[in-house]
């Protein structure tokens, strides 16, 4: 006969992944995951810049993206200062382009400009936001592997500082469009250095198997055996309507170590030196892209910008000396590392359900029912948003963390899974987290680190309205993107035929 035993929930759950530690105190915030001005106040409630989350719920409802303007600005400045310092003796400083794809609205674009950064865009829509914010054209970059003629024209109308050209065909198109307008397009070439970095590792391959950029490998289809990158340099310099500024690479996202950036920088500097030797072309700029990682869970340890900047500067300095070339002006494009930790998502808890799950086997599967089946509780905590406001767990298996925000609790930790309200069982917000056992409907949960690629990737799946974004600074709030209403949800629906 099978006997089912239950296990004391005060112990770590065997269902928890290895990396998830049982926290000593569930009320304590792990600071790398949070904006600098978020804390638990004397009443035990989560507060940002002194404003308790209950007030944010009252004023703006949930779900809600809560962004610390102070934190965003200080991270933006920290990148600029750290890279300026590290590269001061090499090229006089660094141009930092905030990657708007991570999160963009006109308020954020204006903070970026205030803090001395530039803005990297990747579509006509993002250029429109930049225009609405009044960002000067020369401080803008335009990316994209499939830019339309309209986007190229818009960039030229706005006099953007650089169009980052992704292919030979696009180079030709930009040259023609600029020439038809009797203008000159300022261009960078996006190269694929064969370095791809993801999370903790990077791999160097001979050839990048992906859609972006011009290959640096010398086995292109060119008759002379030139790489696509070299062909593009030669072609770019032959067009009177193109001013070639330099080369660019972006090796991946959510990267913690500097090695991948350093290797890519070395490869691009080799390329610049080769172009100089072969064609006497001196390209004055080198963009090393974005990709700096952040903490989503307590086990992530991002490096401070200064550490990464110094490691990259050391490579650029020694490589330029070795190649005997003048260092180009360096630029970078961080997105996630500036906006990610500035924001948390505030949700209200609804339905709770606890299931009992068999002990996992060594392979991680549930054990077959044996004679003494030990089961463990996993609690499903449903919140009033989900994959429509954070698609990253579904898209990338991304891990997040969560904390009870409306009050402190002394209750025992219980392994929980925070799920959304969508009609999909994969609609998971936080796969594994310990939350207090007494979390109840009506409580508020906060998920940190949601500033990047959450609102930006949000959808109206199941006709859910996308949440608003409220910015907090100096003890006051400002809605920088309002949440959608039912009217918004219906206003592109053209109605039934006889409406
Ligand atoms: N520059 C270029 C050319 C890029 O393609 C990207 C990101 C960045 C800069 C900024 O990278 P960051 O510093 O934010 O890592 N949706 C995915 C990430 C896609 C990244 C796309 N490109 C995610 O949520 O993880």
């Amino acid at each position: 006969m099978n006997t089912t035993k239950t296990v004391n929930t005060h112990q770590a759950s065997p269902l928890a992944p290895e990396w998830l530690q049982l926290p000593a105190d569930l009320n304590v915030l792990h600071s790398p995951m949070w904006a600098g001005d978020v804390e638990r106040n004397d009443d035990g409630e989560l507060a940002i810049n002194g404003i308790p989350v209950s007030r944010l719920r009252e004023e703006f409802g949930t779900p809600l993206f809560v962004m610390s303007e102070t934190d965003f600005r200080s991270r933006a400045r920290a990148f600029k200062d750290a890279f300026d310092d590290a590269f001061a003796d090499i090229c006089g400083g660094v141009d930092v382009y905030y990657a708007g794809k991570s999160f963009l609205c006109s308020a954020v674009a204006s903070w970026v400009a205030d803090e001395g950064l530039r803005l990297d865009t990747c579509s006509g829509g993002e250029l429109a936001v930049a225009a609405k914010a009044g960002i000067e054209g020369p401080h803008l970059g335009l990316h994209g592997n499939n830019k339309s003629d309209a986007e190229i024209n818009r960039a030229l109308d706005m006099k953007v500082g650089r169009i980052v050209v992704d292919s030979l065909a696009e180079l030709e198109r930009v040259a023609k469009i600029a020439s038809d307008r009797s203008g000159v397009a300022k261009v960078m070439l996006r190269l694929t250095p064969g370095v791809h970095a993801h999370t903790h590792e990077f791999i160097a391959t001979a050839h990048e198997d992906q859609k972006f950029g011009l290959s640096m490998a010398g086995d292109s289809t060119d008759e002379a055996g030139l790489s696509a990158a070299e062909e593009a340099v030669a072609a770019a310099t032959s067009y009177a309507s193109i001013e070639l500024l330099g080369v660019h690479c972006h090796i991946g996202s959510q990267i913690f170590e500097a090695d991948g950036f350093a290797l890519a920088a070395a490869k691009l500097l080799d390329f610049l030196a080769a172009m100089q030797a072969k064609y006497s072309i001196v390209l004055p700029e080198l963009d090393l892209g974005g990709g700096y990682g952040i903490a989503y869970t307590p086990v992530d340890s991002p490096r401070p910008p200064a550490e990464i900047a110094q490691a990259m500067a050391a490579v650029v300095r020694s490589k330029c000396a070795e190649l005997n070339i003048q260092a180009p002006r360096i630029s970078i494009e961080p997105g996630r590392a500036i906006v990610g930790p500035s924001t948390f998502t505030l949700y209200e808890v609804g339905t709770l359900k606890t299931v009992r799950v068999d002990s996992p086997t060594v392979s991680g599967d549930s054990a077959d029912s044996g004679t003494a089946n030990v089961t463990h509780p996993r609690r499903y905590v449903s919140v009033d948003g989900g994959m429509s406001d954070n698609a990253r767990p579904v898209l990338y298996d991304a891990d997040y963390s969560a904390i009870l925000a409306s009050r402190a609790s002394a209750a025992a930790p219980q392994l929980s899974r925070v799920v959304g309200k969508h009609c999909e069982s994969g609609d998971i917000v936080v796969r594994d987290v310990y939350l207090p056992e007494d979390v109840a409907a009506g409580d508020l949960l906060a998920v940190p680190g949601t500033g990047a690629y959450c609102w930006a990737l949000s959808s109206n799946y199941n006709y859910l309205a996308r949440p608003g974004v409220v910015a907090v600074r100096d003890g006051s709030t400002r809605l920088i993107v309002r949440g959608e209403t039912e009217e918004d949800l219906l206003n592109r629906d053209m109605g039934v035929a006889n409406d």
Side-chain angles (χ1 to χ4, degrees), residues 99 101 120 143 190 248 250 253 290-291 333-336 392 396 453:
K101 70 202 75 177
D120 161 39
H143 266 286
R190 178 168 178 169
H248 167 283
H250 171 76
S253 201
E333 299 171 334
R336 188 193 313 265
R392 297 193 68 259
Y396 317 114
Y453 306 109

Side-chain angles (χ1 to χ4, degrees), residues 264-277:
K267 286 194 161 202
L268 265 69
L269 288 167
D270 279 335
F271 180 82
L272 291 184
M275 294 303 98
Q276 196 168 323

Side-chain angles (χ1 to χ4, degrees), residues 224-243:
L226 301 182
S227 67
E230 184 169 345
E231 246 187 285
V233 170
T237 48
S238 72
Y239 294 116
S241 58
I242 296 282
E243 180 186 342

